[in-house]
Amino acid sequence: MEDQAHQAGPTAGPDHERRWAELADLVLIIGREIQFRGYTDERAIPLSPSEGMVMRHLQHDHAAPPSRIAAATGLQRTNLSTVLRGLEQKGLVERHADPGDGRGVTVHTTDQGRTNYALVRREWATAVAAAVGYDTTNLDAALALLTAMENGLTTSRPQNRAKRTATQN
């Protein structure tokens, strides 16, 4: 028998739709709670959600032009420029002339940026682990589901951002 929970769209039924909506609400609430609590380590440099997205991307794409960062994070180029200036002021990223094209730039994390990202990830891990009493029973399943959601949402991201009203950069 096929698992009805994996179906999407109109055939999913009202109960599945309600549960997916509840999951989306919880993801948004959890993200906000993690952001809201701040950091216990005084060395941690707080990041806005947009700054966090850029730093997360740069952990995997170490020398990225702004256009690639914008495409990967879903940020508009004008908003990305503001985010990059803030990250530079915090000492977390640097811009360098693109070695392949002297007119362009690539964005790199600094040592401080890499250290800060690792530090805040440890803080996030501690916060969410403590919130569930360090119970790892469903951790792998949760990671698999959330990774699939992130991949699906990123892949299906609308190209025309002019109609966006529900989210902020």
Side-chain angles (χ1 to χ4, degrees):
M1 178 180 215
E2 186 176 308
D3 184 358
Q4 297 287 320
H6 289 125
Q7 290 186 3
T11 61
D15 185 55
H16 294 304
E17 184 177 311
R18 179 192 57 76
R19 290 170 41 215
W20 284 117
E22 185 66 22
L23 178 61
D25 277 343
L26 289 170
V27 167
L28 292 170
I29 292 165
I30 291 165
R32 178 66 184 128
E33 286 298 319
I34 291 169
Q35 193 75 32
F36 177 74
R37 73 180 47 248
Y39 304 109
T40 58
D41 191 317
E42 68 222 17
R43 297 171 298 162
I45 299 169
L47 302 174
S48 72
S50 293
E51 289 173 332
M53 288 176 13
V54 169
M55 292 303 294
R56 189 172 303 109
H57 176 76
L58 289 171
Q59 301 310 303
H60 306 288
D61 192 356
H62 302 290
S67 59
R68 195 161 65 218
I69 297 170
T73 61
L75 292 171
Q76 293 180 359
R77 287 290 304 265
T78 53
N79 293 346
L80 176 62
S81 182
T82 301
V83 169
L84 290 175
R85 272 195 306 278
L87 290 169
E88 283 179 305
Q89 290 170 350
K90 292 177 180 182
L92 303 178
V93 301
E94 296 174 334
R95 295 185 222 205
H96 298 280
D98 186 334
D101 177 3
R103 297 172 296 169
V105 298
T106 56
V107 180
H108 303 257
T109 55
T110 62
D111 287 341
Q112 182 180 9
R114 287 183 293 280
T115 299
N116 189 67
Y117 192 71
L119 179 64
V120 298
R121 278 181 57 94
R122 278 194 302 275
E123 293 249 354
W124 299 337
T126 299
V128 296
V132 296
Y134 302 94
D135 180 2
T136 61
T137 305
N138 297 307
L139 183 57
D140 289 336
L143 287 170
L145 177 62
L146 292 170
T147 298
M149 287 170 51
E150 188 268 339
N151 289 335
L153 289 168
T154 302
T155 301
S156 66
R157 181 185 297 143
Q159 297 303 309
N160 181 357
R161 296 172 40 85
K163 294 181 181 178
R164 274 193 30 197
T165 58
T167 61
Q168 298 176 337
N169 290 327

